[in-house]
Amino acid sequence: KITVQNITVLMPGDASDVKTPATILKVPDHGSDDAIASISNVRPEAVVISVGSGNPYDYPRSGTMNAIEKQGSQLFRTDVNGTIVIAVDGNNWTAKSSR
């Protein structure tokens, strides 16, 4: 968890039941079904999914994607967007990608 004034970025690794509110969430477990509860609990403005293109697990899963859409979070995926850089100034955040 990184907090800069009013912006919190949460990177829970593979923890599947995260409940800490955050502005930006790095989605747990590459977007597996286990990530759904975290998205609902955290209620982030933006989510980042670190996942390889054509992975054998079919991540991110459709249930996870539905939870993100329902939440209304802005979505960034490494398989689609490439490298994602998040910058915060304490009150606002921006995201840039390599693709």
Side-chain angles (χ1 to χ4, degrees):
K1 176 179 170 182
I2 301 167
T3 301
V4 179
Q5 294 174 325
N6 298 320
I7 305 292
T8 299
V9 180
L10 190 59
M11 297 174 282
D14 286 342
S16 61
D17 192 19
V18 179
K19 296 182 180 175
T20 303
T23 312
I24 301 167
L25 172 67
K26 188 274 182 191
V27 174
D29 199 25
H30 311 286
S32 74
D33 290 330
D34 291 339
I36 295 170
S38 296
I39 295 161
S40 300
N41 292 336
V42 173
R43 306 183 63 81
E45 291 178 19
V47 297
V48 176
I49 300 177
S50 177
V51 63
S53 180
N55 67 82
Y57 304 103
D58 197 30
Y59 290 161
R61 295 287 175 92
S62 60
T64 301
M65 296 302 291
N66 290 339
I68 293 166
E69 184 176 337
K70 181 179 177 182
Q71 176 57 40
S73 301
Q74 190 168 350
L75 172 63
F76 301 93
R77 295 172 46 165
T78 58
D79 62 333
V80 174
N81 303 110
T83 300
I84 301 158
V85 177
I86 305 285
V88 300
D89 68 6
N91 292 310
N92 300 294
W93 63 270
T94 58
K96 294 181 183 179
S97 64
S98 65
R99 292 188 192 153

